[in-house]
C-alpha cells in the first residue's frame, strides 16, 4: 500500500502525458521514465492525506544528486540523537550540498554520517568494518516501517570524476552497489519532511529553507546551476512557490519537487529519467511540470 490514495483519473493523465511527449520528443519514455505525483487539498497537508498516481514508481534508478536529500535528512536525525557534533563547518557543508549540489560537501557529509573516509583499498577486518559503517544510512532507512523505503541504497558518495580506492571497491565490479532510489521512496521522504512528520520544527524549517528555489528570471540568470532551468521548476507558473532538489549526470536527469501553484494547488512531483538522450534534454521535465501544474483536484 502506498502513502497516498490512488486516483485513477490522475493515473490516466500520467499515461496520456507520457504518450503525448513520447510522440513529441521521440523518446522511449514508457521504459525510461518514472513518476510519482501527489496532490493535496489542504494548504497545510497532513502526512498520508494526498491523492496521487505513479508510473513504474518502484523501479530503482541511479539517483545522482537526489540522494543528497536523504543525506541531509540523515544529518538532522544524527544531530538529534547526538551521534555527531554540530559545527559551522557541518552547516556550511549541508548548505553547499543542497543549495549548490556540491559533491565535495557531500563527501564530507557522508564521512560524518558513517565515520568512514575515502582512501586506498582495505583488506580483512578493516575492510569489513568500513563496509558495515558505510551502510549505516541504509540501516537508518530500514528502521522506518515504510514499504517505500525498502530496497533503497544510500551508501555512496557522489562524484565528479568517479570513485577511487576503497570507494571503487565498494561499488562492486559491475557497479551493483551504486546508490539506487525510486520515485516512490523519494516522494515519501519529501512528504514526511515537508509536512513536519520526519523531523522537529526547527530542523524542518532549516531544510525547507535550503530546498527553496527562486523562480525569478533575473536570479536564475545569475546562477546557471540554479536547479530550476532544465528541470521541473522551469515549467511552473512564475508566481509558484518551489522546494526542490535536482539530479543530473551523463546517464540521468531527475527532479524532486514540492510546489504550490498560483491557484492554491499543492503538489509533490518526482520524475526520474534515464538514458543519455534524456539526460541531455532540457525541455522534457519543464514540459511535464507545466502540464501537471494545470491539474485541478476533483
Amino acid at each position: 500500500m502506498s502513502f497516498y490514495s490512488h486516483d485513477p483519473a490522475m493515473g490516466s493523465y500520467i499515461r496520456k502525458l507520457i504518450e503525448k511527449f513520447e510522440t513529441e520528443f521521440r523518446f522511449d519514455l514508457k521504459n525510461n521514465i518514472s513518476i510519482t505525483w501527489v496532490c493535496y487539498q489542504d494548504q497545510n497537508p497532513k502526512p498520508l492525506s494526498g491523492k496521487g498516481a505513479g508510473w513504474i514508481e518502484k523501479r530503482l534508478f541511479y539517483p545522482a544528486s537526489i540522494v543528497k536529500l536523504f543525506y541531509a535528512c540523515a544529518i538532522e536525525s544524527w544531530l538529534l540523537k547526538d551521534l555527531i557534533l554540530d559545527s559551522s563547518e557541518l552547516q556550511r557543508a549541508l548548505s553547499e550540498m543542497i543549495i549548490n549540489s556540491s559533491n565535495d560537501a557531500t563527501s564530507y557529509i557522508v564521512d560524518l554520517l558513517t565515520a568512514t573516509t575515502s582512501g586506498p583499498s582495505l583488506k580483512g577486518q578493516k575492510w569489513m568494518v568500513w563496509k558495515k559503517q558505510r551502510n549505516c544510512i541504509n540501516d537508518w532507512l530500514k528502521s522506518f516501517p515504510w514499504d517505500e523505503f525498502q530496497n533503497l541504497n544510500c551508501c555512496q558518495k557522489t562524484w565528479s570524476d568517479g570513485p577511487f580506492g576503497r570507494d571503487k571497491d565498494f561499488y562492486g565490479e559491475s557497479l551493483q552497489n551504486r546508490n539506487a532510489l525510486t520515485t516512490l521512496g523519494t516522494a515519501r521522504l519529501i512528504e514526511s519532511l515537508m509536512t513536519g512528520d520526519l523531523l522537529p520544527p526547527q530542523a524542518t524549517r532549516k531544510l525547507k529553507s535550503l530546498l527553496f528555489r527562486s523562480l525569478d528570471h533575473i536570479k536564475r540568470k545569475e546562477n546557471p546551476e540554479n536547479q530550476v532551468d532544465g528541470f521541473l521548476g522551469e515549467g511552473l507558473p512564475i508566481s509558484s512557490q518551489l522546494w526542490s532538489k535536482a539530479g543530473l549526470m551523463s546517464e540521468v536527469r531527475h527532479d524532486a519537487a514540492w510546489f504550490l501553484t498560483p491557484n492554491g494547488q499543492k503538489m509533490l512531483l518526482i520524475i526520474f529519467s534515464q538514458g543519455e538522450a534524456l539526460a541531455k534534454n532540457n525541455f522534457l521535465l519543464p514540459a511535464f511540470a507545466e502540464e501537471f501544474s494545470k491539474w485541478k483536484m476533483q
Side-chain angles (χ1 to χ4, degrees), residues 71 75 78 83-84 90 93 97 103-119 130 133-134 136-137 155-159 166-167:
Y71 295 159
I75 280 288
W78 268 232
L83 295 175
I84 54 176
L90 168 55
M97 180 175 72
N103 289 333
D104 290 341
T106 305
S107 177
Y108 177 73
I109 291 290
V110 171
D111 285 347
L112 283 176
L113 287 170
T114 63
T116 63
T117 59
S118 299
W130 189 93
Q133 291 179 200
R134 260 299 182 87
C136 70
I137 302 167
C155 63
Q156 303 286 1
K157 296 183 176 183
T158 54
W159 306 96
R166 66 190 68 166
D167 288 285

Side-chain angles (χ1 to χ4, degrees), residues 253-273:
R253 180 181 290 266
H254 307 324
D255 204 3
W258 175 276
F259 57 92
L260 178 66
T261 64
N263 65 8
Q265 179 66 69
K266 185 160 284 186
M267 295 188 187
L268 171 59
L269 179 60
I270 318 295
I271 299 183
F272 289 178
S273 63

Side-chain angles (χ1 to χ4, degrees), residues 193-208:
L193 170 64
M194 298 301 292
T195 60
D197 190 43
L198 182 67
L199 298 167
Q202 184 176 356
T204 299
R205 287 193 296 269
K206 181 203 302 184
L207 292 189
K208 287 174 70 174

Side-chain angles (χ1 to χ4, degrees), residues 165-274:
R166 66 190 68 166
D167 288 285
K168 184 178 180 181
D169 296 339
F170 194 46
Y171 266 58
E173 292 185 4
S174 303
L175 306 182
Q176 66 269 23
N177 198 32
R178 291 208 304 180
N179 287 333
L181 295 176
T182 64
T183 59
L184 185 63
T186 304
R188 183 69 193 265
L189 180 82
I190 293 180
E191 185 194 84
S192 62
L193 170 64
M194 298 301 292
T195 60
D197 190 43
L198 182 67
L199 298 167
Q202 184 176 356
T204 299
R205 287 193 296 269
K206 181 203 302 184
L207 292 189
K208 287 174 70 174
S209 69
L210 297 179
L211 291 167
F212 184 77
R213 309 294 176 198
S214 173
L215 297 182
D216 181 83
H217 289 294
I218 295 176
K219 291 183 179 180
R220 283 155 55 183
K221 286 183 179 179
E222 292 173 349
N223 179 18
E225 305 296 329
N226 54 58
Q227 300 189 63
V228 173
D229 294 310
F231 298 96
L232 295 173
E234 184 181 351
L236 298 178
I238 193 66
S239 55
S240 303
Q241 296 180 54
L242 170 68
W243 296 261
S244 70
K245 183 70 193 77
L248 176 66
M249 47 90 72
S250 61
E251 300 173 19
V252 303
R253 180 181 290 266
H254 307 324
D255 204 3
W258 175 276
F259 57 92
L260 178 66
T261 64
N263 65 8
Q265 179 66 69
K266 185 160 284 186
M267 295 188 187
L268 171 59
L269 179 60
I270 318 295
I271 299 183
F272 289 178
S273 63
Q274 66 181 7

